[in-house]
Amino acid sequence: MISAYFIHLLILVGIYLILAISLQISIGFTGMLNLGHIAFFAIGAYTSALLVLNGFPFWLALLSAGIVAMVFGYALSLPIKKLKGDYLALATMGFSFVVYAVLLNWTELTRGPLGIPGIPKPSFLGINFSSNFSFLILILIITLVCYFLINRITNSPFGKVLESIRDDELASKTLGKNTSKAKSISLMVSAFFAGIAGSLYAHYITFIDPSSFTLMQLIPVLCIVIIGGLASMKGTLIATFIIVLLPEPLRFIGFPSSVVGPMRQIIYALFLLLILLYKPKGIYGKVEME
Amino acid sequence: MKKSWLKLLLIILIIALIINLTIFIPKQNQEKVKIGVIMPLTGFLANVGIDTKNAIDLSFSDLDASKDVELIYEDDACDSAKALTAYKKLVDVNKVNFIIGPFCGQSAMTILSSLNENKIITISPGAPDNELSKANDYFFRTRVPNKAETKKLIEFLNKEKIKKIAVYTAKNTFGQSYRDSLVNQLGNETKIVFEDGSSDYQTDFKTDILKIKEKNPQAVFLVPASRQQMGIFVKQLKELGFTPIILGGSVTEQQDLLDVAGNASEGIIYPYASPENLDIVKEYKEKYNKNPSMEVLNGYDAFSILYLAIKECKSDKECVRVKLNNLKDFNGTMGKISVDEFGDSQVELILKTIKNDQFIPYKD
Amino acid sequence: MSIIFQLLINGIIAGAIYALVASGFSLIYNTCKFVNFAHGAVVAFSAYIVYFFFSTLNFNFGFSVVFALLFASILGWAMNHFVYKRFRDRKASNSILLIASFGLLILIESLILILFGADVKTINYIQVTKGIEIFGAIITPLQIFIVVSSAVIFLALFLFMKKTKLGKAMRAVSNNKDVAEILGINSQTIYSWSFIIGSFIAGIAGILIGLEQNLEPTMGTNLIVKGFTAAIIGGVGNVYGAILGALLLGLAENFGIWYLPSGYKDAIAFIILFIFLLFKPKGLFGIKREGDREQ
């Protein structure tokens, strides 16, 4: 029997993996440094939670989470079309702050800081996924599907267009590609999968509140994308395991508990800096960040 | 060539990690009963979490519990996912039957359904959410429920015939649960003329104060997002020359407030338990060089109560649960504690105030 | 009427605080061309240095301030020399530098957390009293000092950039690095000086903000977010634009909060940022420079 603790960690790996590969579409393949990605995660989580608690079936809530997030992805893509590099990063970061503020203050919809408790575990085709193991299977299936889909998208001709935008947008435009449209679609797809991840998160953790969806929560995901290597699905997979599982052995070593937390942060930060410095392509990456 | 070596190395690394997690588990000491503790040891409420941990440790050593019981601490940083991970690790790897914590509302709400499933007895010294009262049979609190505190304040409001009050409560579970308690219990004699709250990291309240001032309330009910916020708010109140009666929650009694606000904190009125056991307060101060606040002492009591039950019941969860449910007049640090039908602790409360940098009982 | 005046004062004070952070940040951003999040950590660091020397070791306040400014400048220089320079040597893009600066911010804040603990710390140098009343609005002496300081820094930077050799060299590198190098300016030296001066200003910010709002380990993160927002609003290409942008931000926030619930304060900052990025990406006073990233 696999331990419940380990199943829990694997479930987290699954959720983070979907979140990370969805971010890869933006950063790795399209070259858009989207620091607001956590907002799509949040939107997916809240959409799914609210729908299920209002009587909608899980599968519908899951899809809606992706779709609603996708709509926001589209909405975000419009104003940032002309932005690049750090400006794009700051604008998308700003977007996530705005979403956070709305989640916190629109109490009629979201219950604000009190959050949404009692989110039920998924119920699907008559099966109730309430046990840890069954949830793990569900996550595994959904994660595989998402991985497969994103892989197909990025290997398709459309994916090549995205990569051309990342490498040299001007050249791509010159060759007649509608880069604005491509960037919009890229952000939409990225948001869709982040929304799916958000829904899974909400139904697993069973309680969500705005504090789970700030910029700070994006940092591990960003680390995964960079350390795994830009535009590398395999790299992202391995990096997710590393980032999610790496801090866990620290629990067992016996540092004084008040030091473990900041130590964990320091290790993340150092790891990130070292990878950026000495292996900026990440583990498997084909490109460096422009 | 190099790439495939790198790949191999990585795969080995991952396998090593996996093995690490499933096999490298500390040897289980079968004689001692294990208690897991979930506290914010990093992050936004780290200072409170660490203080509470110290209080629990103090109780542990005062009661000489090391021969029967082992404490295992995990950090949740007041984050839902981390709280759930800490919980799973404690229950599954360390096989604890009892947990002290979590401290934060969101962590408590997150592990609630798992608690029910695994039937883990949990005592929280801090979680403020009103919904946690009678959340399930296994969840207890040594924290006095907010409604008891607000009840005392409303008595004061009625007595002083205060007609207009402003409510400024932090935009987090802590502040909102206080706000809800107050609003639900407020009678018709007092009207809320202004309502808003601070964000977690806010440090500038000048415009909020201006808005409050404009509504001209006689009193302000103030529940900050953190210890330091209360001090800064009160300091800015004084600087802006606005002096309504300030009513706070039990968290008002902290050294941090005096440090930050100085004499601006004079006159704040708040409910507090009347500590019976001043020795413990002194002991804490000697050992950790600061006065323990009520939330911290709740941690002390949480351990004491749990230990008392465990001494008699050992690992028997049902036995402990019954004992906790029936706890009456236990000599806690804050007076006599009785557990009510909601799993909350009832303690006698009085009103206190700040005068000459001292926390003293409030007299008319 | 006095309400509007008080709102104005509140906005100016908030703007001055943001300006203290934004000016140093902008100086570095303009010459080195990347978003340096770790600037916030320098602000926090200098506040903690003052605390350490004044409150813990009981040194004279003046000495503590001098140490804080010294250490802040050294930290800034060190970040550039030991970290960013290495990245630049490998021709890293400014997105990578942005993420690296994030890493540094987290690193330094975690160190502060370990060294000083999570408790709020106070620098008890100034008594808490009612402020001075001017035309019905109230302001404290410290707050007046903060506003005056940012005005002085504004003036000093203006004169520095226009009149001094180093200032002009910085502007040259900021406008067109390649041409500047051809003209004999050593860009590496300029980068170092940007960090030293920018971090010195961050030091001033840390001390004043520490006195006004107290210390906690994550204070840098919140400040730098407002700081770069202000810098972009004010305009890239000149440093004093950042200060004006900061002022605008402070005023917009306080007037905005008069009408909206307090929780939207940060959102206001970002909505303004958004609007500027969309319609006026060069900010209010931005100067066009070679290699602008917008088009």
Side-chain angles (χ1 to χ4, degrees):
Chain A
M1 265 328 291
I2 320 177
S3 83
Y5 169 59
F6 196 56
I7 293 180
H8 165 81
L9 291 176
L10 286 178
I11 293 176
L12 288 182
V13 166
I15 295 176
Y16 271 95
L17 182 59
I18 300 177
L19 198 53
I21 53 181
S22 61
L23 187 56
Q24 271 290 13
I25 299 177
S26 293
I27 300 186
F29 287 95
T30 323
M32 297 194 289
L33 187 51
N34 177 10
L35 291 184
H37 197 64
I38 202 82
F40 301 133
F41 188 58
I43 291 168
Y46 270 88
T47 304
S48 190
L50 289 171
L51 284 177
V52 171
L53 285 173
N54 276 302
F56 287 82
F58 171 70
W59 62 267
L60 185 63
L62 180 69
L63 280 171
S64 307
I67 294 174
V68 174
M70 189 166 74
V71 170
F72 276 88
Y74 176 68
L76 179 62
S77 72
L78 294 175
I80 64 172
K81 258 199 276 254
K82 295 212 194 88
L83 300 177
K84 278 197 177 37
D86 28 348
Y87 277 22
L88 180 74
L90 296 178
T92 50
M93 186 195 282
F95 172 70
S96 71
F97 278 104
V98 173
V99 169
Y100 173 81
V102 170
L103 289 175
L104 192 68
N105 286 288
W106 193 2
T107 42
E108 294 79 28
L109 181 69
T110 65
R111 286 179 28 119
L114 292 176
I116 301 183
I119 305 172
K121 289 265 167 54
S123 207
F124 204 40
L125 304 173
I127 315 171
N128 201 351
F129 288 90
S130 56
S131 81
N132 279 328
F133 193 66
S134 59
F135 199 91
L136 177 65
I137 303 291
L138 180 68
I139 290 257
L140 211 60
I141 296 173
I142 297 182
T143 306
L144 278 168
V145 170
C146 292
Y147 188 94
F148 177 70
L149 284 173
I150 294 182
N151 219 3
R152 286 298 299 270
I153 294 174
T154 52
N155 280 326
S156 72
F158 177 67
K160 296 286 177 276
V161 173
L162 293 182
E163 293 196 79
S164 75
I165 295 176
R166 176 196 66 212
D167 293 332
D168 193 337
E169 183 166 357
L170 195 55
S172 187
K173 264 197 207 161
T174 317
L175 291 170
K177 302 289 174 203
N178 186 342
T179 55
S180 291
K181 185 162 159 214
K183 284 200 281 192
S184 274
I185 299 180
S186 160
L187 205 56
M188 284 163 69
V189 173
S190 172
F192 177 82
F193 286 102
I196 300 275
S199 164
L200 293 170
Y201 176 84
H203 291 277
Y204 179 60
I205 302 280
T206 71
F207 172 80
I208 54 174
D209 71 300
S211 70
S212 298
F213 305 110
T214 67
L215 183 62
M216 283 325 217
Q217 269 79 9
L218 186 66
I219 293 179
V221 187
L222 202 59
C223 286
I224 293 174
V225 167
I226 294 174
I227 292 174
L230 293 179
S232 164
M233 300 289 281
K234 272 202 295 247
T236 311
L237 177 64
I238 296 180
T240 309
F241 271 98
I242 296 179
I243 295 283
V244 173
L245 298 181
L246 193 73
E248 294 303 311
L250 283 181
R251 286 183 203 276
F252 299 96
I253 291 183
F255 279 131
S257 10
S258 58
V259 171
V260 170
M263 275 314 301
R264 194 187 311 195
Q265 299 272 69
I266 291 181
I267 290 178
Y268 270 157
L270 277 174
F271 207 43
L272 181 68
L273 285 170
L274 288 172
I275 293 263
L276 281 176
L277 199 51
Y278 294 112
K279 226 185 175 310
K281 294 205 178 80
I283 302 175
Y284 269 110
K286 300 173 241 155
V287 273
E288 293 189 28
M289 230 176 331
E290 281 315 314
Chain B
M1 264 300 106
K2 201 167 166 209
K3 203 141 189 212
S4 58
W5 276 114
L6 192 62
K7 215 173 174 177
L8 195 64
L9 191 66
L10 277 162
I11 295 177
I12 293 176
L13 182 68
I14 293 177
I15 294 178
L17 271 171
I18 296 177
I19 295 176
N20 200 347
L21 289 171
T22 49
I23 295 186
F24 176 44
I25 289 166
K27 281 200 251 307
Q28 306 294 328
N29 187 329
Q30 295 301 331
E31 281 107 54
K32 297 198 198 167
V33 177
K34 287 187 242 307
I35 302 179
V37 184
I38 301 181
M39 282 283 130
L41 299 172
T42 58
F44 183 55
L45 286 176
N47 45 5
V48 187
I50 294 175
D51 285 349
T52 310
K53 170 181 183 297
N54 291 339
I56 296 174
D57 286 339
L58 193 63
S59 180
F60 184 83
S61 70
D62 280 352
L63 294 172
D64 200 17
S66 56
K67 47 184 171 23
D68 306 296
V69 153
E70 189 189 332
L71 285 173
I72 304 164
Y73 283 97
E74 291 297 338
D75 174 25
D76 70 343
C78 285
D79 175 72
S80 298
K82 292 203 179 97
L84 193 57
T85 307
Y87 173 83
K88 298 260 178 186
K89 183 253 179 191
L90 286 170
V91 169
D92 190 53
V93 175
N94 298 107
K95 311 250 186 292
V96 302
N97 281 334
F98 312 102
I99 288 182
I100 298 180
F103 193 84
C104 301
Q106 43 282 36
S107 304
M109 298 294 276
T110 302
I111 67 173
L112 219 47
S113 53
S114 306
L115 274 180
N116 219 6
E117 238 178 84
N118 303 116
K119 302 202 195 335
I120 303 287
I121 310 278
T122 302
I123 298 190
S124 170
D129 305 56
N130 298 330
E131 286 143 333
L132 287 170
S133 292
K134 199 53 176 171
N136 63 40
D137 289 334
Y138 304 96
F139 191 85
F140 297 88
R141 287 195 276 188
T142 48
R143 185 174 196 286
V144 175
N146 297 337
K147 54 182 194 281
E149 293 192 23
T150 48
K151 185 153 166 264
K152 253 319 231 194
L153 288 175
I154 289 174
E155 277 172 24
F156 172 83
L157 287 175
N158 290 336
K159 188 140 168 280
E160 301 294 319
K161 301 214 190 325
I162 292 181
K163 300 270 174 266
K164 300 198 285 184
I165 181 171
V167 173
Y168 194 75
T169 49
K171 294 245 185 294
N172 56 27
T173 49
F174 190 67
Q176 291 308 297
S177 43
Y178 265 107
R179 177 249 169 222
D180 288 346
S181 296
L182 184 79
V183 166
N184 289 336
Q185 293 177 319
L186 206 60
N188 291 326
E189 302 85 39
T190 319
K191 190 163 163 288
I192 298 179
V193 296
F194 174 86
E195 206 191 309
D196 202 350
S198 57
S199 329
D200 282 355
Y201 293 102
Q202 188 171 342
T203 48
D204 182 355
F205 304 97
K206 296 197 277 288
T207 302
D208 294 300
I209 293 173
L210 194 62
K211 284 163 86 172
I212 297 175
K213 192 169 166 185
E214 211 224 350
K215 299 281 185 212
N216 211 4
Q218 296 149 286
V220 176
F221 178 52
L222 179 64
V223 178
S226 63
R227 291 171 162 182
Q228 48 268 39
Q229 265 199 5
M230 187 144 190
I232 300 176
F233 185 92
V234 163
K235 185 173 100 152
Q236 289 175 355
L237 261 184
K238 179 157 186 177
E239 287 170 359
L240 286 164
F242 180 44
T243 49
I245 301 174
I246 302 176
L247 304 171
S250 55
V251 286
T252 305
E253 184 162 319
Q254 328 238 6
Q255 189 56 37
D256 288 341
L257 175 61
L258 297 177
D259 285 342
V260 171
N263 50 26
S265 56
E266 291 282 301
I268 300 180
I269 297 173
Y270 61 97
Y272 205 70
S274 156
E276 300 250 313
N277 207 332
L278 292 168
D279 289 335
I280 295 182
V281 175
K282 242 192 293 204
E283 212 188 321
Y284 188 95
K285 180 149 190 200
E286 264 169 34
K287 195 160 179 194
Y288 299 110
N289 208 14
K290 56 192 333 200
N291 277 321
S293 58
M294 186 150 121
E295 13 172 49
V296 166
L297 291 172
N298 286 334
Y300 188 99
D301 286 334
F303 182 78
S304 310
I305 294 175
L306 189 58
Y307 183 61
L308 187 72
I310 289 178
K311 262 216 314 218
E312 292 191 32
C313 301
K314 296 284 179 286
S315 295
D316 185 344
K317 286 189 278 194
E318 191 53 31
C319 171
V320 169
R321 187 178 77 80
V322 167
K323 280 232 171 303
L324 288 176
N325 264 325
N326 293 327
L327 193 75
K328 292 255 174 298
D329 293 337
F330 171 81
N331 268 330
T333 56
M334 303 264 87
K336 296 217 186 299
I337 301 179
S338 300
V339 175
D340 66 13
E341 69 268 27
F342 298 110
D344 292 332
S345 295
Q346 295 296 350
V347 171
E348 185 74 33
L349 291 176
I350 59 169
L351 282 180
K352 289 179 80 169
T353 186
I354 302 176
K355 202 174 171 125
N356 294 332
D357 284 355
Q358 301 280 347
F359 301 105
I360 58 172
Y362 174 74
K363 289 185 225 321
D364 284 321
Chain C
M1 189 55 215
S2 70
I3 291 181
I4 299 202
F5 199 59
Q6 182 72 58
L7 277 177
L8 201 65
I9 297 264
N10 290 351
I12 292 176
I13 297 171
I17 290 179
Y18 296 150
L20 290 171
V21 178
S23 47
F25 169 82
S26 180
L27 190 67
I28 296 174
Y29 182 66
N30 289 334
T31 45
C32 307
K33 302 270 186 287
F34 74 98
V35 176
N36 174 26
F37 277 122
H39 192 70
V42 179
V43 174
F45 178 76
S46 68
Y48 273 90
I49 295 286
V50 175
Y51 170 78
F52 180 66
F53 282 103
F54 178 68
S55 306
T56 315
L57 296 181
N58 283 316
F59 275 37
N60 176 286
F61 184 71
F63 281 141
S64 309
V65 166
V66 169
F67 277 126
L69 294 174
L70 193 65
F71 281 122
S73 310
I74 293 177
L75 179 63
W77 173 86
M79 287 190 327
N80 179 49
H81 188 79
F82 293 111
V83 182
Y84 296 134
K85 184 162 179 297
R86 279 178 213 225
F87 278 97
R88 278 200 298 268
D89 288 344
R90 287 154 207 274
K91 307 238 180 297
S93 70
N94 59 6
S95 296
I96 292 197
L97 286 166
L98 181 149
I99 299 188
S101 77
F102 228 0
L104 266 180
L105 174 66
I106 297 176
L107 198 68
I108 298 176
E109 281 189 346
S110 302
L111 279 172
I112 292 178
L113 185 59
I114 293 183
L115 291 173
F116 290 95
D119 270 357
V120 67
K121 303 278 189 278
T122 54
I123 304 174
N124 284 321
Y125 183 60
I126 300 182
Q127 281 278 26
V128 182
T129 51
K130 179 174 168 182
I132 306 169
E133 191 161 329
I134 309 177
F135 294 126
I138 302 183
I139 187 169
T140 66
L142 176 62
Q143 289 159 357
I144 295 178
F145 190 78
I146 291 176
V147 175
V148 167
S149 299
S150 55
V152 167
I153 291 178
F154 178 100
L155 209 61
L157 281 173
F158 186 83
L159 290 172
F160 172 75
M161 295 301 238
K162 270 227 151 43
K163 307 278 187 187
T164 67
K165 193 159 167 218
L166 183 58
K168 287 193 226 181
M170 277 188 189
R171 274 196 297 144
V173 171
S174 169
N175 280 336
N176 193 326
K177 183 182 126 195
D178 297 325
V179 172
E181 283 189 329
I182 293 174
L183 292 173
I185 298 175
N186 183 341
S187 54
Q188 295 298 336
T189 317
I190 297 298
Y191 292 152
S192 283
W193 276 109
S194 304
F195 268 93
I196 294 175
I197 299 176
S199 304
F200 181 83
I201 300 175
I204 299 177
I207 297 167
L208 290 174
I209 296 175
L211 283 168
E212 169 75 2
Q213 296 179 346
N214 308 293
L215 287 62
E216 47 102 15
T218 60
M219 61 192 279
T221 316
N222 314 314
L223 287 168
I224 193 59
V225 165
K226 295 289 169 74
F228 73 63
T229 307
I232 295 200
I233 291 175
V236 290
N238 67 62
V239 176
Y240 23 89
I243 297 180
L244 292 171
L247 214 60
L248 180 67
L249 184 62
L251 287 167
E253 279 187 348
N254 280 282
F255 276 94
I257 290 306
W258 182 252
Y259 298 104
L260 293 170
S262 172
Y264 285 106
K265 191 190 257 197
D266 291 340
I268 290 178
F270 282 100
I271 293 176
I272 297 182
L273 176 69
F274 237 67
I275 294 176
F276 270 87
L277 283 175
L278 293 182
F279 299 112
K280 255 196 156 290
K282 295 187 203 41
L284 286 172
F285 307 100
I287 300 170
K288 182 143 175 59
R289 32 162 218 193
E290 184 268 330
D292 250 347
R293 310 280 308 179
E294 294 78 82
Q295 297 303 329

